[in-house]
């Protein structure tokens, strides 16, 4: 029994969709779980009732709505509600796919840097383009903090510009690394149980209680992380959008 | 490993199995660039699909339900406030009506009392006047009766005196001297 904590991240093509240049475009297990996430969100948001007194499903839908809306209002102000569909889509997509991915034998979309990177770049360019479109050159005020003495202003500006362009990196790597590390840790600890049992027999099965307990505890933590990282991704998106809406605050 | 994946995918893309996945399991899947194009394309398709569903259908639907509930609650509260205001106004109107009725009743009472007093006073006055007039008439009658009686008394006295003198003396006295004597004795 060999522990292979990496195997769960494999991309398995299910069928080919076509070719772009010399790249084969396949419908993979990742695509399948994206479809699952979209389907779950659609069922949640569209199959729930719209009654005056909400039922269970409708309550969940309304709580998600209010949760994302209040997050946007508190971080980016009322003007940030323009981006409500985008932030809601990002949050629900990541939250649902992360929670689905925590179920054993499933695949976690956000465990691939290419996916989180693409989403982070989507946010980055949304901020950049909307900021320039709305504020013109005043948008660059975000690089010039107010009240900074003139002799250290060049240094501060350099740091601000660097951090602005590193945003998509930290934004995407944070989510990717959390999901990847959590799943690897779970797999390793769960693997210990089976490895001890198969190699040491009865003693091993008794000894496996400790890693099993750790697996259970880690699993609970991972459920929290799955939600929390989606929330962090969404709230950072709000904070970045706030810069585009109100530069030089 | 990236090449081997790409190579394996090329000829028999439809026939990929678990075994095929595990044979290049030595690499680190998140960094296998051969899978990037597939992932990006499916992410683009599904994220755009999700965005359209969310922005065109889901959010207006749920937002509408929340807003409808909010409006209903606000409408009900406004209705309750309106009804409360109405009942307050009715209570105030009732109280002011009661107060005005009370003052009116008092005014009517005062007025009728004064009227009755005035009437009684007037009646008393006329009665007194009538009594006074009758008293005066009676007094006058008494006086005239008395003077008449007195004048009769003088005549009778004069006659009687004439008779007495005649009886005593047998001389018929002079009427004038009898009258003067009577007058003198009446005065004295």
């Amino acid at each position: 029994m060999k522990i292979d904590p990496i195997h769960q991240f494999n991309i398995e093509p299910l069928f080919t969709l076509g070719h772009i240049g010399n790249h084969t475009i396949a419908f993979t297990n990742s695509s399948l779980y994206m479809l699952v996430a979209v389907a779950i969100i659609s069922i949640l948001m569209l199959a729930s009732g719209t009654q005056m007194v909400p039922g269970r499903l409708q309550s969940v839908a309304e709580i998600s709505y209010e949760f994302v809306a209040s997050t946007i209002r508190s971080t980016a102000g009322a003007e940030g509600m323009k981006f409500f569909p985008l932030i809601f889509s990002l949050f629900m997509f990541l939250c649902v796919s992360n929670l689905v991915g925590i179920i054993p034998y499933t695949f976690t979309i956000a465990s691939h840097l290419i996916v989180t990177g693409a989403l982070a770049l989507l946010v980055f360019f949304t901020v950049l383009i909307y900021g320039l479109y709305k504020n013109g050159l005043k948008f660059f005020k975000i690089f010039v903090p107010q009240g900074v003495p003139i002799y250290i202003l060049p240094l501060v500006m350099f740091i601000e510009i660097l951090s602005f362009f590193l945003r998509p990196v930290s934004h995407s790597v944070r989510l990717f690394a959390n999901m990847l590390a959590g799943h690897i840790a779970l797999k390793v600890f769960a693997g210990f149980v089976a490895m001890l049992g198969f190699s040491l027999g009865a003693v091993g099965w008794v000894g496996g209680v400790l890693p099993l307990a750790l697996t259970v505890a880690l699993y609970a933590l991972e459920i929290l992380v799955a939600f929390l990282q989606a929330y962090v991704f969404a709230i950072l998106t709000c904070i970045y959008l706030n810069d585009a809406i109100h530069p030089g605050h | 490993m990236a090449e081997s994946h790409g190579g394996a995918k090329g000829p028999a893309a439809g026939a990929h199995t678990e075994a095929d996945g595990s044979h290049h399991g030595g690499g680190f899947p998140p960094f296998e660039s051969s899978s990037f194009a597939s992932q990006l394309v499916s992410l683009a398709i599904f994220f755009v699909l999700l965005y359209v569903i969310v922005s065109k259908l889901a959010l207006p639907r749920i937002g509408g339900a929340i807003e409808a509930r909010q409006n209903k609650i606000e409408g009900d509260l406004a209705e309750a406030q309106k009804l409360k205001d109405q009942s307050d106004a009715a209570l105030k109107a009732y109280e002011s009506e009661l107060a005005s009725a009370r003052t009116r009743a008092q005014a009517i009472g005062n007025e009728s009392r004064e009227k009755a007093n005035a009437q009684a006073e007037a009646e008393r006055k006329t009665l007194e006047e009538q009594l006074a007039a009758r008293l005066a008439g009676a007094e006058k009658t008494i006086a005239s009766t008395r003077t008449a009686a007195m004048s009769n008394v003088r005549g009778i006295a004069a006659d009687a005196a004439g008779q007495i003198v005649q009886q005593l003396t047998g001389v018929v006295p002079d009427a004038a001297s009898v009258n003067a004597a009577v007058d003198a004795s009446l005065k004295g």
Side-chain angles (χ1 to χ4, degrees):
Chain A
M1 182 78 191
K2 175 173 150 289
I3 296 175
D4 182 9
I6 302 301
H7 180 255
Q8 59 180 322
F9 304 117
N10 276 347
I11 298 286
E12 314 285 356
L14 301 177
F15 54 86
T16 308
L17 293 172
H19 300 269
I20 298 175
N22 52 359
H23 295 289
T24 307
I25 305 303
F27 189 90
T28 63
N29 53 348
S30 177
S31 318
L32 180 65
Y33 282 98
M34 289 177 191
L35 176 62
V36 166
V38 172
I40 290 173
I41 298 166
S42 302
I43 289 167
L44 173 66
M45 301 304 287
L46 299 179
S48 59
T50 51
Q51 269 126 30
M52 204 47 79
V53 179
R56 287 178 208 175
L57 197 61
Q58 193 187 343
S59 280
V60 175
E62 286 183 6
I63 288 166
S64 351
Y65 181 102
E66 297 280 10
F67 178 70
V68 176
S70 70
T71 303
I72 298 172
R73 283 201 200 94
S74 61
T75 50
E79 276 182 81
M81 289 305 282
K82 257 180 240 169
F83 297 99
F84 189 29
L86 175 68
I87 294 164
F88 190 83
S89 302
L90 280 172
F91 173 71
M92 291 303 277
F93 188 65
L94 291 173
C95 189
V96 169
S97 68
N98 286 353
L99 287 173
V100 167
I102 210 94
I103 299 167
Y105 299 106
T106 57
F107 177 83
T108 310
I109 303 163
S111 65
H112 279 252
L113 187 56
I114 188 73
V115 171
T116 63
L119 293 177
L121 282 173
L122 170 70
V123 172
F124 179 77
F125 283 111
T126 306
V127 168
L128 197 64
I129 291 166
Y130 181 77
L132 285 172
Y133 161 75
K134 181 157 180 280
N135 305 295
L137 292 177
K138 276 191 214 147
F139 176 63
F140 295 110
K141 273 206 275 186
I142 62 165
F143 301 130
V144 189
Q146 283 174 344
V148 174
I150 194 79
Y151 49 90
I152 57 162
L153 194 59
L155 181 65
V156 172
M157 275 175 65
F158 172 73
I159 294 169
E160 288 280 344
I161 291 168
L162 192 67
S163 77
F164 181 80
F165 285 99
L166 283 177
R167 271 175 186 182
V169 177
S170 64
H171 203 188
S172 58
V173 169
R174 179 181 299 109
L175 174 60
F176 155 71
N178 268 288
M179 299 323 293
L180 186 83
H183 282 79
I184 290 174
L186 265 183
K187 192 86 171 186
V188 168
F189 278 107
F192 270 149
V193 182
M195 199 173 69
L196 282 171
F198 282 118
S199 53
L200 299 176
V203 180
W205 288 118
V206 173
V209 168
L210 189 65
L212 183 64
L214 266 173
T215 308
V216 172
L218 262 182
Y219 200 88
L221 180 71
E222 279 309 304
I223 292 173
L224 176 70
V225 168
F227 165 77
L228 207 62
Q229 285 305 317
Y231 178 61
V232 165
F233 197 92
I235 204 164
L236 281 174
T237 304
C238 293
I239 291 168
Y240 296 161
L241 282 169
N242 186 40
D243 279 347
I245 297 164
H246 314 106
H249 42 80
Chain B
M1 54 203 162
E3 301 88 64
S4 74
H5 187 149
K9 215 185 215 174
H16 273 277
T17 59
E18 284 288 322
D20 189 27
S22 63
H23 104 257
H24 52 72
F28 189 51
F31 296 148
E32 273 178 36
S33 59
S34 62
S35 71
F36 286 179
S38 297
Q39 289 196 70
L40 284 176
V41 168
S42 26
L43 178 67
I45 292 168
F46 289 115
F47 195 73
V48 167
L49 177 69
L50 178 69
Y51 185 86
V52 170
I53 290 171
V54 161
S55 62
K56 298 288 171 213
L57 302 172
L59 293 186
R61 192 166 175 277
I62 301 296
I66 291 172
E67 200 172 330
R69 180 176 312 120
Q70 194 65 34
N71 289 343
K72 173 99 173 86
I73 290 169
E74 275 167 11
D76 285 0
L77 282 179
E79 178 74 16
Q81 186 63 41
K82 209 180 81 187
L83 290 176
K84 186 178 175 292
D85 287 352
Q86 272 179 8
S87 74
D88 282 356
L91 185 67
K92 207 170 268 178
Y94 160 76
E95 273 170 1
S96 71
E97 191 70 22
L98 191 67
S100 80
R102 202 170 278 153
T103 54
R104 213 158 48 212
Q106 218 151 24
I108 289 168
N110 286 344
E111 201 185 327
S112 60
R113 194 163 42 240
E114 273 165 20
K115 212 188 271 173
N117 282 350
Q119 207 176 351
E121 187 73 15
E123 275 174 5
R124 197 174 58 84
K125 218 171 250 174
T126 54
L127 204 59
E128 267 175 7
E129 274 166 11
Q130 276 174 8
L131 287 174
R134 274 161 71 178
L135 200 62
E139 272 171 1
K140 216 186 268 170
T141 313
I142 291 167
S144 68
T145 310
R146 201 168 79 196
T147 48
M150 287 309 272
S151 67
N152 289 347
V153 166
R154 185 173 159 271
I156 291 162
D159 280 353
Q163 293 280 329
I164 292 160
V165 170
Q166 198 181 354
Q167 288 281 329
L168 289 172
T169 61
V171 179
V172 178
D174 181 28
S177 57
V178 172
N179 279 349
V182 168
D183 279 345
S185 88
L186 276 175
K187 267 184 193 132

